[in-house]
Amino acid sequence: MTTAAPGTASADDGVPGVGPLLRGWRERRRVSQLELALRAGSSARHISFVETGRSRPSEDMVLRLAEHLDVPVRDRNSLLLAAGYAPRYPETPLDDPALEALREGVERLIRGYEPYPALVVDATYSVVAANRGVTMLLDGVPEHLLVPPLNAMRLTLHPEGLAPRIRNLRAWRGHLLAQMERDIALRRSAPLRALYEEVAAYPYDVPESGEDEQDARVPHFALPLRIEHDGLVLSFVSSISTFNTPMDVTVSELAVETLLPADPATTKYLRSLLS
């Protein structure tokens, strides 16, 4: 029988130690041991010893390596546990009183974007908050898709959701699926993978008008979302914001997405809603 070093997981437990986990993140980021060592103020020899289990990293070293490998906050806790340390970052429920100021802040933020659509989503694209601009776009979506918790990807790509109204559906669908693929590679989330497989399997039709091809020939500074609403075709570009240096798992996984007008006609229409 082999005995693990104090504070580390044994191979007999079936739980990867911190070394293989760190190696996995380093390889995912395509960083060499030497490059990681230089970033973290260590040596390639020490990084090698950590990855092979010959050396147990300090708590500070685990966090330093995780930072330089851009490991998500949730997975930093997993690295700490695998190394025998307590998790550093709490995971506070969003409805906890401790996050009241955060909730009020993001709600004020997205209301401030009105009449432009803005929403807040979590790590699996569940909608945490949305303003009246989003409600406008969802007008006419079947009730069964609007039952909480709402999911932004499902609402957008479902054949009964917004998908039939999106004039450049092929391009926008490809953009969203690629975004989800990047998130899966970053977070290694089983729920996110399941959502991806669901929405990627949705059937979709390209408009017979050939709007996809026509839109591809029009120069844009970013890929627009072109969507039919109330007899008009509105054009938006998406901007996504996250919190800087989050110290809570829940907060680290929140994202604020705003849809800004991509042409004067869309701006004029949205501003008319305020009058």
Side-chain angles (χ1 to χ4, degrees):
M1 177 182 294
T2 59
T3 303
T8 62
S10 166
D12 295 335
D13 297 333
V15 179
V18 68
L21 291 176
L22 282 169
R23 182 174 64 248
W25 282 109
R26 180 180 59 77
E27 292 173 348
R28 192 172 293 111
R29 297 293 183 263
R30 299 181 181 180
V31 176
S32 68
Q33 290 182 343
L34 178 59
E35 183 179 354
L36 179 58
L38 291 173
R39 293 181 185 179
S42 183
S43 67
R45 177 184 175 88
H46 182 56
I47 299 298
S48 176
F49 277 21
V50 167
E51 291 186 353
T52 57
R54 296 177 64 183
S55 177
R56 180 191 179 202
S58 67
E59 182 178 12
D60 177 69
M61 176 59 74
V62 172
L63 291 172
R64 204 182 323 156
L65 294 175
E67 178 181 358
H68 288 289
L69 290 172
D70 195 25
V71 176
V73 171
R74 179 183 297 277
D75 293 283
R76 296 186 192 192
N77 278 343
S78 298
L79 290 173
L80 289 168
L81 283 170
Y85 302 110
R88 173 69 64 91
Y89 305 96
E91 185 174 359
T92 310
L94 197 56
D95 59 358
D96 191 285
L99 295 184
E100 181 178 0
L102 171 72
R103 293 194 304 273
E104 293 180 351
V106 296
E107 288 173 0
R108 283 197 302 270
L109 176 65
I110 62 176
R111 283 200 305 269
Y113 277 103
E114 293 177 352
Y116 306 157
L119 68 160
V120 184
V121 297
D122 65 13
T124 56
Y125 295 96
S126 291
V127 178
V128 173
N131 67 7
R132 289 180 295 177
V134 172
T135 304
M136 171 198 70
L137 291 180
L138 295 180
D139 183 40
V141 171
E143 286 296 326
H144 71 88
L145 289 178
L146 300 177
V147 175
L150 304 184
N151 186 275
M153 290 294 181
R154 190 175 290 119
L155 284 168
T156 303
L157 297 178
H158 195 282
E160 297 181 53
L162 297 179
R165 308 179 197 175
I166 299 175
R167 298 291 292 271
N168 58 337
L169 180 58
R170 180 189 289 118
W172 193 253
R173 178 180 181 273
H175 155 68
L176 293 183
L177 293 180
Q179 178 178 315
M180 294 183 73
E181 289 171 354
R182 290 192 297 270
D183 287 346
I184 290 168
L186 176 65
R187 297 172 177 161
R188 303 182 305 168
S189 165
L192 190 57
R193 166 61 67 179
L195 176 66
Y196 174 86
E197 293 175 352
E198 174 192 337
V199 300
Y202 288 159
Y204 74 100
D205 294 318
V206 175
E208 294 182 2
S209 64
E211 183 71 19
D212 275 281
E213 290 75 13
Q214 178 181 341
D215 189 70
R217 294 194 297 268
V218 178
H220 295 285
F221 56 87
L223 178 68
L225 167 64
R226 291 175 50 79
I227 185 168
E228 295 181 6
H229 175 76
D230 198 24
L232 302 173
V233 177
L234 304 180
S235 185
F236 299 95
V237 291
S238 172
S239 174
I240 297 177
S241 303
T242 57
F243 289 90
N244 187 39
T245 319
M247 302 300 292
D248 186 283
V249 173
T250 300
V251 176
S252 74
E253 295 177 343
L254 294 179
V256 180
E257 180 169 9
T258 56
L259 295 176
L260 305 176
D263 58 33
T266 301
T267 301
K268 181 179 179 180
Y269 173 76
L270 294 174
R271 287 179 177 172
S272 72
L273 299 179
L274 292 178
S275 59

